[in-house]
Amino acid sequence: MKKLTDNGRAFLPLGVMPNLKKLTLTGLGFDDINILTASLNPKLKYLQLDNMMTRSSTWCIPEAQALVGKFSQLTDLVSLSTDNHGFTDDDLINFLPCLKIFAI
């Protein structure tokens, strides 16, 4: 898949599509976390990043921090899925406070 997407660069236009509200990227690998974060439009409401990996099987601290930083910029986000993500407990503890919690 990396070859077909030029290591994820094919997804870069998604980051600037003004009407994109829902994005599902599953089962993909990114060698560069900056490509993944640049592909995430700040106006997203629904984001599914299941089975996502970087170069290794787990996220290194700078990669997790970059993704957490991007999550905190998604101010319209109401749904996030990161199933089978490879995040550590510390990664989750760090990015959960960045997300808005809605009481029903």
Side-chain angles (χ1 to χ4, degrees):
M1 186 55 79
K2 286 184 185 181
K3 286 184 181 182
L4 293 174
T5 64
D6 191 19
N7 288 324
R9 287 179 186 82
F11 299 114
L12 287 172
L14 298 173
V16 294
M17 292 181 170
N19 297 321
L20 185 65
K21 304 294 183 207
K22 183 177 184 180
L23 180 62
T24 299
L25 296 174
T26 59
L28 298 174
F30 286 82
D31 285 342
D32 185 346
I33 192 67
N34 295 317
I35 292 174
L36 173 57
T37 58
S39 300
L40 302 180
N41 189 303
K43 297 294 182 185
L44 286 172
K45 289 187 175 194
Y46 306 94
L47 178 58
Q48 183 176 354
L49 297 176
D50 296 343
N51 302 306
M52 299 293 288
M53 293 293 163
T54 57
R55 288 181 205 147
S56 65
S57 61
T58 59
W59 295 79
C60 70
I61 291 172
E63 290 170 338
Q65 289 174 337
L67 201 52
V68 167
K70 187 62 177 190
F71 288 159
S72 68
Q73 296 171 6
L74 304 178
T75 57
D76 295 337
L77 194 67
V78 295
S79 175
L80 173 66
S81 174
T82 58
D83 191 32
N84 293 322
H85 45 66
F87 290 120
T88 66
D89 289 345
D90 287 339
D91 295 333
L92 296 173
I93 289 167
N94 287 330
F95 81 66
L96 287 175
C98 296
L99 304 176
K100 294 184 288 186
I101 305 295
F102 293 96
I104 297 178

